[in-house]
């Protein structure tokens, strides 16, 4: 992939975040998602690439999507797989909560797992704990491994978990082991990425969330040198058969980094829509808008934080042609 693609992808997430952020706190998650999706598509179509969406968004919550198989870009090389979540955390934006992002990940063609829109069990850690976790190991064993790897006492280890009834037993096991928990309402891509940055105060992610979000998180953690493991959770025979049709011969096997993101290169970009531990949300002051973004490349290990100031009178449609 071309190095210049990293900055082009930031333009994509910035536009989506600016469009979605206007809906913050208004209680209208689908309108926010539609605004992000429309803005993202407009900017994608100005980028010199031949992209194919392999992970789209919106099937579970019936929101508008960049659909799987959609072609993006100006139609010439590089040829890439594209995973998108124009608005990760639609409920977060609707309620004005923390850690909503606009997210894009790309790899060379054929590099990303075509994850179906269903649930996935996940465990994720940052670089210090790579090789120390096991999705099939007891929760306490994983927490002890992370404590050893990070040089922390168990009482200082923080696990992040989606606040869902299905995680009641998991939460009990984490607390019994002596670790602390940060419960989140939505947004487990941001939570997984946070494990790769010590300043966020998050050491490990546990629990079951969306499979597409798992692949997006895998790209980010590949760039950071972290690790994620996952297992798909088909809820019925139709979902199981869908996995088979998408090329997953054993839908219940543990998926590792190399299963979710193949090859040496991938790019991850995210812009904050609402404030979070890692990124600030969009700030509006009339026609002057400020964004805070993260872009990373696996091949080089480069991590960039970018603060952008946008004069909307100069690009009223969020695109400069």
């Amino acid at each position: 992939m071309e190095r210049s693609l990293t900055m082009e992808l930031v333009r994509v997430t910035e536009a989506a975040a600016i469009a979605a952020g206007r809906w913050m706190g208004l209680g209208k998650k689908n309108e926010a998602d539609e605004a992000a999706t429309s803005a993202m598509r407009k900017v994608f179509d100005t980028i010199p690439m031949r992209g194919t969406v392999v992970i789209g968004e919106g099937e579970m919550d019936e929101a508008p999507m960049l659909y799987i198989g959609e072609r993006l870009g100006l139609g010439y090389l590089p040829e890439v797989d594209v995973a998108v979540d124009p608005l990760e955390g639609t409920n977060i934006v609707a309620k004005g909560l923390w850690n909503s992002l606009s997210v894009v990940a790309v790899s060379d063609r054929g590099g990303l797992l075509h994850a179906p829109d269903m649930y996935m069990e996940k465990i994720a850690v940052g670089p210090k704990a790579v090789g120390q976790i096991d999705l099939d190991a007891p929760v306490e064993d994983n927490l002890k491994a992370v404590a050893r790897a990070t040089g922390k006492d168990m009482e200082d280890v923080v696990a992040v978990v989606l606040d869902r009834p299905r995680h009641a037993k998991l939460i009990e096991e984490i607390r019994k082991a002596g670790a602390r928990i940060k419960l989140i309402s939505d947004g487990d891509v941001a939570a997984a990425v946070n494990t790769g940055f010590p300043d966020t105060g998050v050491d490990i992610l546990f629990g079951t969330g969306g499979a597409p979000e798992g692949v997006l998180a895998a790209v980010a953690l590949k760039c950071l040198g972290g690790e994620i493991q996952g297992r798909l959770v088909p809820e019925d025979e139709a979902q199981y058969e869908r996995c088979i049709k998408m090329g997953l011969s054993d839908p219940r096997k543990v998926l590792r980094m190399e299963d979710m993101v193949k090859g040496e290169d991938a790019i991850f970009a995210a812009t904050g829509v609402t404030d979070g531990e890692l990124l600030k949300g969009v700030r509006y002051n009339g026609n002057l808008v400020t964004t805070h973004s993260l872009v990373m490349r696996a091949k080089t290990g480069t991590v960039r934080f970018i603060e952008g100031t946008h004069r909307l009178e100069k690009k009223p449609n969020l695109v400069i042609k």
Side-chain angles (χ1 to χ4, degrees):
M1 290 186 292
E2 297 293 330
R3 180 175 57 191
S4 60
L5 194 56
T6 58
M7 294 306 298
E8 294 285 4
L9 294 177
V10 174
R11 292 176 51 234
V12 171
T13 58
E14 285 175 340
I18 290 169
R22 293 287 192 188
W23 295 91
M24 191 275 291
L26 298 181
K28 298 181 178 181
K29 68 172 188 175
N30 286 351
E31 289 84 347
D33 201 16
E34 183 176 4
T37 302
S38 178
M40 182 170 277
R41 182 181 283 115
K42 285 179 183 177
V43 182
F44 259 129
D45 286 340
T46 71
I47 295 178
M49 70 177 195
R50 186 184 300 162
T52 303
V53 177
V54 299
I55 292 179
E57 65 89 35
E59 289 185 21
M60 277 190 174
D61 60 4
E62 299 181 353
M65 69 181 74
L66 281 153
Y67 60 85
I68 294 172
E70 183 171 350
R71 301 287 183 174
L72 300 173
L74 294 172
Y76 47 90
L77 297 179
E79 190 169 3
V80 296
D81 281 357
V82 181
V84 301
D85 197 342
L87 185 56
E88 204 243 343
T90 55
N91 286 317
I92 293 174
V93 171
K95 297 176 182 179
L97 302 176
W98 275 50
N99 277 322
S100 179
L101 303 174
S102 172
V103 182
V104 169
V106 303
S107 75
D108 291 318
R109 191 76 178 103
L112 296 183
L113 174 70
H114 295 197
D117 194 359
M118 63 181 62
Y119 287 121
M120 175 188 279
E121 298 174 51
K122 305 172 195 174
I123 184 171
V125 292
K128 288 186 178 180
V130 168
Q132 305 301 309
I133 57 169
D134 184 346
L135 186 63
D136 288 327
V139 169
E140 184 175 8
D141 289 358
N142 281 310
L143 289 168
K144 286 180 177 178
V146 170
R148 287 193 301 269
T150 57
K152 293 185 176 183
D153 295 330
M154 180 66 83
E155 64 187 15
D156 294 326
V157 173
V158 176
V160 61
V161 180
L162 277 168
D163 190 5
R164 299 288 188 274
R166 63 179 178 267
H167 290 149
K169 184 174 183 293
L170 170 62
I171 291 168
E172 181 182 350
E173 290 177 349
I174 295 170
R175 288 176 173 157
K176 185 178 179 181
R180 293 181 291 151
I181 300 175
K182 176 175 284 190
L183 292 174
I184 57 172
S185 63
D186 293 280
D188 66 347
V189 174
V193 174
N194 283 348
T195 66
F197 292 90
D199 289 347
T200 64
V202 172
D203 299 296
I204 184 168
L205 173 139
F206 285 108
T208 302
E213 289 84 353
V215 177
L216 284 161
V219 175
L221 289 168
K222 183 181 181 75
C223 296
L224 289 166
E227 181 179 4
I228 186 170
Q229 297 174 16
R231 180 189 286 113
L232 293 171
V233 186
E235 295 186 291
D236 52 37
E237 187 63 28
Q239 287 195 352
Y240 190 92
E241 289 301 319
R242 187 177 177 195
C243 294
I244 300 295
K245 289 179 181 178
M246 295 182 77
L248 300 169
S249 58
D250 181 6
R252 293 293 294 158
K253 80 166 189 174
V254 174
L255 300 167
R256 302 185 185 277
M257 293 288 288
E258 59 271 21
D259 298 311
M260 295 191 229
V261 193
K262 299 180 177 68
E264 68 171 350
D265 207 5
I267 299 170
F268 176 91
T271 299
V273 180
T274 61
D275 287 346
E277 292 90 348
L278 197 62
L279 295 172
K280 293 181 290 187
V282 184
R283 300 287 192 269
Y284 302 91
N285 184 11
N287 277 332
L288 192 67
V289 179
T290 302
T291 56
H292 194 207
S293 303
L294 166 69
V295 62
M296 308 182 284
R297 188 179 182 193
K299 186 175 182 178
T300 61
T302 302
V303 177
R304 290 186 174 94
F305 288 92
I306 300 169
E307 187 166 300
T309 301
H310 311 267
R311 296 188 176 276
L312 297 188
E313 73 274 13
K314 293 182 178 291
K315 47 178 179 179
N317 296 316
L318 304 176
V319 178
I320 297 177
K321 296 184 178 179

Short mmCIF file of all heavy atoms in Angstrom, two decimals, residues 100-157:
data_model
loop_
_atom_site.label_atom_id
_atom_site.label_comp_id
_atom_site.label_asym_id
_atom_site.label_seq_id
_atom_site.Cartn_x
_atom_site.Cartn_y
_atom_site.Cartn_z
N SER A 100 -17.17 7.47 21.44
CA SER A 100 -17.66 7.20 20.10
C SER A 100 -16.60 7.62 19.08
O SER A 100 -15.96 8.67 19.23
CB SER A 100 -18.95 7.97 19.82
OG SER A 100 -19.40 7.72 18.50
N LEU A 101 -16.41 6.79 18.06
CA LEU A 101 -15.38 7.02 17.06
C LEU A 101 -15.95 6.85 15.66
O LEU A 101 -16.93 6.13 15.45
CB LEU A 101 -14.24 5.99 17.20
CG LEU A 101 -13.49 5.86 18.52
CD1 LEU A 101 -12.52 4.69 18.44
CD2 LEU A 101 -12.75 7.15 18.84
N SER A 102 -15.28 7.45 14.70
CA SER A 102 -15.43 7.09 13.29
C SER A 102 -14.18 6.30 12.93
O SER A 102 -13.06 6.76 13.17
CB SER A 102 -15.54 8.34 12.42
OG SER A 102 -15.50 7.96 11.06
N VAL A 103 -14.36 5.09 12.36
CA VAL A 103 -13.24 4.15 12.21
C VAL A 103 -13.16 3.59 10.80
O VAL A 103 -14.18 3.24 10.20
CB VAL A 103 -13.39 2.97 13.21
CG1 VAL A 103 -12.22 2.01 13.09
CG2 VAL A 103 -13.53 3.48 14.63
N VAL A 104 -11.92 3.48 10.31
CA VAL A 104 -11.64 2.83 9.03
C VAL A 104 -10.37 1.99 9.18
O VAL A 104 -9.43 2.40 9.86
CB VAL A 104 -11.40 3.87 7.91
CG1 VAL A 104 -10.84 3.21 6.65
CG2 VAL A 104 -12.69 4.59 7.57
N ALA A 105 -10.36 0.82 8.55
CA ALA A 105 -9.15 0.00 8.48
C ALA A 105 -9.02 -0.53 7.07
O ALA A 105 -10.03 -0.88 6.44
CB ALA A 105 -9.20 -1.14 9.48
N VAL A 106 -7.80 -0.60 6.56
CA VAL A 106 -7.56 -1.16 5.23
C VAL A 106 -6.36 -2.10 5.29
O VAL A 106 -5.47 -1.96 6.13
CB VAL A 106 -7.32 -0.08 4.15
CG1 VAL A 106 -8.49 0.88 4.06
CG2 VAL A 106 -6.02 0.66 4.39
N SER A 107 -6.36 -3.04 4.37
CA SER A 107 -5.21 -3.94 4.19
C SER A 107 -5.06 -4.19 2.70
O SER A 107 -5.93 -3.84 1.90
CB SER A 107 -5.43 -5.26 4.92
OG SER A 107 -6.35 -6.07 4.20
N ASP A 108 -3.96 -4.84 2.33
CA ASP A 108 -3.85 -5.31 0.95
C ASP A 108 -5.00 -6.26 0.66
O ASP A 108 -5.56 -6.90 1.57
CB ASP A 108 -2.51 -6.02 0.74
CG ASP A 108 -1.33 -5.05 0.81
OD1 ASP A 108 -1.44 -3.94 0.26
OD2 ASP A 108 -0.30 -5.41 1.44
N ARG A 109 -5.38 -6.37 -0.61
CA ARG A 109 -6.53 -7.18 -1.00
C ARG A 109 -6.38 -8.60 -0.44
O ARG A 109 -5.34 -9.22 -0.56
CB ARG A 109 -6.63 -7.24 -2.53
CG ARG A 109 -7.94 -7.85 -3.01
CD ARG A 109 -9.07 -6.85 -2.86
NE ARG A 109 -10.33 -7.38 -3.36
CZ ARG A 109 -11.31 -7.83 -2.55
NH1 ARG A 109 -11.15 -7.80 -1.25
NH2 ARG A 109 -12.42 -8.27 -3.06
N GLY A 110 -7.45 -9.08 0.19
CA GLY A 110 -7.45 -10.41 0.76
C GLY A 110 -6.89 -10.48 2.16
O GLY A 110 -6.80 -11.58 2.73
N GLY A 111 -6.55 -9.34 2.75
CA GLY A 111 -5.90 -9.34 4.05
C GLY A 111 -6.81 -9.39 5.25
O GLY A 111 -6.38 -9.75 6.34
N LEU A 112 -8.08 -8.99 5.10
CA LEU A 112 -8.98 -8.90 6.25
C LEU A 112 -9.98 -10.06 6.28
O LEU A 112 -10.52 -10.46 5.25
CB LEU A 112 -9.76 -7.58 6.22
CG LEU A 112 -8.95 -6.30 6.34
CD1 LEU A 112 -9.88 -5.09 6.36
CD2 LEU A 112 -8.07 -6.30 7.59
N LEU A 113 -10.21 -10.58 7.47
CA LEU A 113 -11.25 -11.58 7.67
C LEU A 113 -12.60 -10.98 7.32
O LEU A 113 -12.94 -9.89 7.78
CB LEU A 113 -11.26 -12.05 9.13
CG LEU A 113 -12.38 -13.01 9.53
CD1 LEU A 113 -12.16 -14.37 8.89
CD2 LEU A 113 -12.44 -13.13 11.05
N HIS A 114 -13.38 -11.69 6.51
CA HIS A 114 -14.72 -11.23 6.14
C HIS A 114 -15.69 -11.64 7.26
O HIS A 114 -16.50 -12.56 7.11
CB HIS A 114 -15.16 -11.83 4.81
CG HIS A 114 -14.32 -11.38 3.66
ND1 HIS A 114 -14.71 -11.50 2.35
CD2 HIS A 114 -13.10 -10.79 3.62
CE1 HIS A 114 -13.76 -11.03 1.55
NE2 HIS A 114 -12.77 -10.59 2.30
N ALA A 115 -15.59 -10.95 8.38
CA ALA A 115 -16.36 -11.35 9.56
C ALA A 115 -17.84 -11.07 9.36
O ALA A 115 -18.22 -9.94 9.03
CB ALA A 115 -15.85 -10.60 10.79
N PRO A 116 -18.69 -12.07 9.57
CA PRO A 116 -20.13 -11.84 9.45
C PRO A 116 -20.65 -11.00 10.60
O PRO A 116 -20.01 -10.92 11.66
CB PRO A 116 -20.72 -13.27 9.51
CG PRO A 116 -19.70 -14.06 10.26
CD PRO A 116 -18.36 -13.46 9.92
N ASP A 117 -21.79 -10.37 10.41
CA ASP A 117 -22.34 -9.49 11.43
C ASP A 117 -23.05 -10.32 12.49
O ASP A 117 -24.27 -10.51 12.45
CB ASP A 117 -23.30 -8.49 10.78
CG ASP A 117 -23.64 -7.35 11.73
OD1 ASP A 117 -23.15 -7.36 12.87
OD2 ASP A 117 -24.38 -6.45 11.32
N MET A 118 -22.25 -10.83 13.41
CA MET A 118 -22.77 -11.60 14.54
C MET A 118 -21.84 -11.36 15.72
O MET A 118 -20.92 -10.55 15.64
CB MET A 118 -22.86 -13.08 14.19
CG MET A 118 -21.52 -13.74 13.89
SD MET A 118 -21.68 -15.51 13.45
CE MET A 118 -22.69 -15.43 11.98
N TYR A 119 -22.08 -12.07 16.81
CA TYR A 119 -21.26 -11.85 17.99
C TYR A 119 -19.95 -12.62 17.94
O TYR A 119 -19.83 -13.65 17.26
CB TYR A 119 -22.03 -12.24 19.26
CG TYR A 119 -23.11 -11.26 19.63
CD1 TYR A 119 -24.45 -11.67 19.73
CD2 TYR A 119 -22.82 -9.93 19.88
CE1 TYR A 119 -25.45 -10.77 20.07
CE2 TYR A 119 -23.81 -9.02 20.22
CZ TYR A 119 -25.12 -9.45 20.32
OH TYR A 119 -26.10 -8.57 20.65
N MET A 120 -18.97 -12.10 18.68
CA MET A 120 -17.66 -12.73 18.80
C MET A 120 -17.18 -12.60 20.24
O MET A 120 -17.23 -11.52 20.82
CB MET A 120 -16.65 -12.04 17.86
CG MET A 120 -15.22 -12.55 17.99
SD MET A 120 -14.01 -11.55 17.04
CE MET A 120 -14.26 -12.23 15.39
N GLU A 121 -16.75 -13.73 20.83
CA GLU A 121 -16.04 -13.68 22.11
C GLU A 121 -14.66 -13.07 21.85
O GLU A 121 -14.02 -13.40 20.86
CB GLU A 121 -15.85 -15.08 22.68
CG GLU A 121 -17.12 -15.83 23.00
CD GLU A 121 -16.79 -17.25 23.43
OE1 GLU A 121 -15.93 -17.41 24.34
OE2 GLU A 121 -17.37 -18.17 22.85
N LYS A 122 -14.20 -12.21 22.76
CA LYS A 122 -12.93 -11.52 22.53
C LYS A 122 -12.11 -11.42 23.81
O LYS A 122 -12.65 -11.33 24.91
CB LYS A 122 -13.17 -10.08 22.02
CG LYS A 122 -14.03 -9.96 20.79
CD LYS A 122 -14.36 -8.51 20.50
CE LYS A 122 -15.50 -8.38 19.52
NZ LYS A 122 -15.93 -6.99 19.32
N ILE A 123 -10.81 -11.39 23.61
CA ILE A 123 -9.87 -11.01 24.65
C ILE A 123 -8.76 -10.23 23.95
O ILE A 123 -8.30 -10.63 22.88
CB ILE A 123 -9.32 -12.24 25.41
CG1 ILE A 123 -8.41 -11.79 26.56
CG2 ILE A 123 -8.61 -13.21 24.48
CD1 ILE A 123 -8.01 -12.94 27.48
N ALA A 124 -8.39 -9.08 24.50
CA ALA A 124 -7.40 -8.21 23.84
C ALA A 124 -6.49 -7.57 24.87
O ALA A 124 -6.93 -7.23 25.98
CB ALA A 124 -8.11 -7.12 23.03
N VAL A 125 -5.22 -7.42 24.48
CA VAL A 125 -4.23 -6.79 25.36
C VAL A 125 -3.26 -5.95 24.52
O VAL A 125 -3.18 -6.09 23.31
CB VAL A 125 -3.41 -7.84 26.15
CG1 VAL A 125 -4.27 -8.55 27.17
CG2 VAL A 125 -2.74 -8.83 25.19
N GLY A 126 -2.51 -5.10 25.22
CA GLY A 126 -1.48 -4.30 24.57
C GLY A 126 -0.17 -5.05 24.41
O GLY A 126 -0.07 -6.24 24.74
N PRO A 127 0.86 -4.37 23.92
CA PRO A 127 2.13 -5.02 23.57
C PRO A 127 2.81 -5.78 24.71
O PRO A 127 3.41 -6.82 24.48
CB PRO A 127 3.01 -3.85 23.10
CG PRO A 127 2.04 -2.81 22.64
CD PRO A 127 0.85 -2.94 23.53
N LYS A 128 2.74 -5.29 25.94
CA LYS A 128 3.46 -5.94 27.04
C LYS A 128 2.94 -7.35 27.32
O LYS A 128 3.70 -8.20 27.82
CB LYS A 128 3.36 -5.10 28.31
CG LYS A 128 4.19 -3.83 28.28
CD LYS A 128 4.15 -3.12 29.62
CE LYS A 128 5.03 -1.87 29.63
NZ LYS A 128 4.98 -1.19 30.94
N ALA A 129 1.69 -7.61 27.03
CA ALA A 129 1.09 -8.91 27.38
C ALA A 129 0.90 -9.83 26.18
O ALA A 129 0.21 -10.85 26.28
CB ALA A 129 -0.24 -8.69 28.09
N VAL A 130 1.50 -9.50 25.04
CA VAL A 130 1.39 -10.35 23.85
C VAL A 130 1.96 -11.73 24.15
O VAL A 130 3.03 -11.87 24.76
CB VAL A 130 2.12 -9.70 22.66
CG1 VAL A 130 2.25 -10.69 21.50
CG2 VAL A 130 1.37 -8.47 22.19
N GLY A 131 1.22 -12.76 23.73
CA GLY A 131 1.66 -14.12 23.94
C GLY A 131 1.35 -14.68 25.31
O GLY A 131 1.66 -15.83 25.60
N GLN A 132 0.72 -13.87 26.16
CA GLN A 132 0.45 -14.29 27.54
C GLN A 132 -1.02 -14.65 27.77
O GLN A 132 -1.36 -15.15 28.85
CB GLN A 132 0.85 -13.17 28.50
CG GLN A 132 2.28 -12.70 28.36
CD GLN A 132 3.28 -13.80 28.58
OE1 GLN A 132 3.22 -14.52 29.59
NE2 GLN A 132 4.19 -13.98 27.64
N ILE A 133 -1.89 -14.39 26.80
CA ILE A 133 -3.32 -14.59 27.01
C ILE A 133 -3.81 -15.80 26.21
O ILE A 133 -3.18 -16.22 25.24
CB ILE A 133 -4.13 -13.34 26.63
CG1 ILE A 133 -3.85 -12.95 25.16
CG2 ILE A 133 -3.86 -12.20 27.58
CD1 ILE A 133 -4.80 -11.89 24.61
N ASP A 134 -4.97 -16.32 26.63
CA ASP A 134 -5.57 -17.47 25.95
C ASP A 134 -7.08 -17.37 26.14
O ASP A 134 -7.57 -17.38 27.28
CB ASP A 134 -5.03 -18.77 26.53
CG ASP A 134 -5.55 -20.02 25.81
OD1 ASP A 134 -6.52 -19.90 25.04
OD2 ASP A 134 -4.99 -21.10 26.03
N LEU A 135 -7.80 -17.27 25.05
CA LEU A 135 -9.26 -17.12 25.12
C LEU A 135 -9.91 -18.27 25.87
O LEU A 135 -10.95 -18.09 26.51
CB LEU A 135 -9.83 -17.03 23.70
CG LEU A 135 -11.33 -16.72 23.57
CD1 LEU A 135 -11.67 -15.36 24.13
CD2 LEU A 135 -11.77 -16.80 22.11
N ASP A 136 -9.30 -19.47 25.82
CA ASP A 136 -9.88 -20.64 26.47
C ASP A 136 -9.41 -20.82 27.91
O ASP A 136 -9.87 -21.73 28.59
CB ASP A 136 -9.55 -21.90 25.66
CG ASP A 136 -10.34 -21.97 24.36
OD1 ASP A 136 -11.48 -21.49 24.35
OD2 ASP A 136 -9.81 -22.50 23.37
N ALA A 137 -8.50 -19.99 28.37
CA ALA A 137 -8.00 -20.11 29.74
C ALA A 137 -8.99 -19.48 30.73
O ALA A 137 -9.79 -18.61 30.35
CB ALA A 137 -6.64 -19.43 29.87
N PRO A 138 -8.95 -19.88 31.98
CA PRO A 138 -9.80 -19.23 32.99
C PRO A 138 -9.51 -17.73 33.07
O PRO A 138 -8.38 -17.30 32.85
CB PRO A 138 -9.41 -19.94 34.29
CG PRO A 138 -8.88 -21.27 33.85
CD PRO A 138 -8.19 -21.01 32.54
N VAL A 139 -10.53 -16.97 33.42
CA VAL A 139 -10.39 -15.51 33.52
C VAL A 139 -9.27 -15.14 34.48
O VAL A 139 -8.44 -14.27 34.18
CB VAL A 139 -11.73 -14.88 33.98
CG1 VAL A 139 -11.53 -13.42 34.36
CG2 VAL A 139 -12.77 -15.00 32.87
N GLU A 140 -9.21 -15.80 35.62
CA GLU A 140 -8.18 -15.47 36.61
C GLU A 140 -6.78 -15.70 36.06
O GLU A 140 -5.87 -14.91 36.32
CB GLU A 140 -8.37 -16.28 37.89
CG GLU A 140 -7.38 -15.90 38.99
CD GLU A 140 -7.65 -16.62 40.30
OE1 GLU A 140 -8.51 -17.53 40.32
OE2 GLU A 140 -7.02 -16.27 41.31
N ASP A 141 -6.59 -16.77 35.28
CA ASP A 141 -5.27 -17.05 34.71
C ASP A 141 -4.84 -15.94 33.76
O ASP A 141 -3.67 -15.53 33.74
CB ASP A 141 -5.29 -18.40 33.97
CG ASP A 141 -5.37 -19.58 34.93
OD1 ASP A 141 -5.37 -19.36 36.16
OD2 ASP A 141 -5.43 -20.72 34.44
N ASN A 142 -5.78 -15.47 32.95
CA ASN A 142 -5.45 -14.38 32.03
C ASN A 142 -5.11 -13.10 32.78
O ASN A 142 -4.18 -12.37 32.42
CB ASN A 142 -6.61 -14.14 31.06
CG ASN A 142 -6.65 -15.15 29.92
OD1 ASN A 142 -5.64 -15.39 29.26
ND2 ASN A 142 -7.81 -15.74 29.70
N LEU A 143 -5.84 -12.82 33.84
CA LEU A 143 -5.57 -11.63 34.63
C LEU A 143 -4.20 -11.71 35.31
O LEU A 143 -3.44 -10.74 35.35
CB LEU A 143 -6.67 -11.42 35.67
CG LEU A 143 -8.02 -10.98 35.11
CD1 LEU A 143 -9.10 -11.10 36.19
CD2 LEU A 143 -7.95 -9.56 34.59
N LYS A 144 -3.86 -12.89 35.83
CA LYS A 144 -2.55 -13.07 36.45
C LYS A 144 -1.43 -12.89 35.42
O LYS A 144 -0.38 -12.30 35.72
CB LYS A 144 -2.46 -14.45 37.09
CG LYS A 144 -3.25 -14.59 38.38
CD LYS A 144 -3.12 -16.00 38.95
CE LYS A 144 -3.85 -16.12 40.28
NZ LYS A 144 -3.78 -17.51 40.83
N ALA A 145 -1.66 -13.41 34.21
CA ALA A 145 -0.66 -13.29 33.15
C ALA A 145 -0.43 -11.82 32.78
O ALA A 145 0.70 -11.38 32.57
CB ALA A 145 -1.09 -14.09 31.92
N VAL A 146 -1.51 -11.05 32.71
CA VAL A 146 -1.40 -9.63 32.39
C VAL A 146 -0.71 -8.88 33.53
O VAL A 146 0.12 -7.99 33.29
CB VAL A 146 -2.79 -9.03 32.09
CG1 VAL A 146 -2.72 -7.51 32.00
CG2 VAL A 146 -3.34 -9.60 30.79
N ALA A 147 -1.03 -9.23 34.75
CA ALA A 147 -0.38 -8.60 35.91
C ALA A 147 1.14 -8.83 35.86
O ALA A 147 1.92 -7.90 36.05
CB ALA A 147 -0.97 -9.13 37.21
N ARG A 148 1.53 -10.07 35.58
CA ARG A 148 2.98 -10.38 35.48
C ARG A 148 3.62 -9.60 34.34
O ARG A 148 4.70 -9.02 34.49
CB ARG A 148 3.18 -11.88 35.27
CG ARG A 148 2.93 -12.74 36.48
CD ARG A 148 3.47 -14.14 36.26
NE ARG A 148 2.86 -14.78 35.10
CZ ARG A 148 1.77 -15.54 35.14
NH1 ARG A 148 1.16 -15.73 36.30
NH2 ARG A 148 1.30 -16.10 34.05
N ALA A 149 2.95 -9.59 33.20
CA ALA A 149 3.54 -8.97 32.01
C ALA A 149 3.68 -7.46 32.15
O ALA A 149 4.61 -6.86 31.62
CB ALA A 149 2.68 -9.30 30.78
N THR A 150 2.76 -6.85 32.87
CA THR A 150 2.78 -5.39 33.01
C THR A 150 3.48 -4.94 34.29
O THR A 150 3.65 -3.73 34.51
CB THR A 150 1.34 -4.83 33.00
OG1 THR A 150 0.59 -5.45 34.05
CG2 THR A 150 0.67 -5.09 31.66
N GLY A 151 3.85 -5.89 35.15
CA GLY A 151 4.50 -5.54 36.40
C GLY A 151 3.57 -4.91 37.41
O GLY A 151 4.01 -4.14 38.28
N LYS A 152 2.29 -5.26 37.35
CA LYS A 152 1.31 -4.68 38.25
C LYS A 152 0.84 -5.69 39.29
O LYS A 152 0.87 -6.91 39.07
CB LYS A 152 0.07 -4.19 37.47
CG LYS A 152 0.33 -3.03 36.54
CD LYS A 152 -0.97 -2.57 35.90
CE LYS A 152 -0.77 -1.33 35.03
NZ LYS A 152 -2.04 -0.83 34.47
N ASP A 153 0.40 -5.19 40.43
CA ASP A 153 -0.34 -6.02 41.37
C ASP A 153 -1.72 -6.28 40.78
O ASP A 153 -2.25 -5.46 40.02
CB ASP A 153 -0.48 -5.32 42.72
CG ASP A 153 0.86 -5.12 43.41
OD1 ASP A 153 1.77 -5.95 43.19
OD2 ASP A 153 0.99 -4.13 44.16
N MET A 154 -2.31 -7.42 41.15
CA MET A 154 -3.63 -7.75 40.60
C MET A 154 -4.65 -6.64 40.86
O MET A 154 -5.48 -6.32 40.00
CB MET A 154 -4.13 -9.06 41.21
CG MET A 154 -5.50 -9.49 40.70
SD MET A 154 -5.49 -9.91 38.93
CE MET A 154 -4.92 -11.59 39.02
N GLU A 155 -4.59 -6.01 42.01
CA GLU A 155 -5.56 -4.97 42.35
C GLU A 155 -5.43 -3.72 41.48
O GLU A 155 -6.32 -2.87 41.46
CB GLU A 155 -5.43 -4.58 43.82
CG GLU A 155 -4.10 -3.95 44.18
CD GLU A 155 -3.92 -3.73 45.66
OE1 GLU A 155 -4.69 -4.32 46.44
OE2 GLU A 155 -3.02 -2.96 46.04
N ASP A 156 -4.31 -3.62 40.74
CA ASP A 156 -4.11 -2.48 39.85
C ASP A 156 -4.43 -2.79 38.39
O ASP A 156 -4.36 -1.91 37.54
CB ASP A 156 -2.67 -1.99 39.96
CG ASP A 156 -2.36 -1.42 41.34
OD1 ASP A 156 -3.27 -0.82 41.94
OD2 ASP A 156 -1.22 -1.59 41.81
N VAL A 157 -4.75 -4.06 38.09
CA VAL A 157 -5.12 -4.44 36.73
C VAL A 157 -6.56 -4.02 36.47
O VAL A 157 -7.45 -4.25 37.29
CB VAL A 157 -4.97 -5.96 36.53
CG1 VAL A 157 -5.52 -6.38 35.16
CG2 VAL A 157 -3.50 -6.36 36.66
#
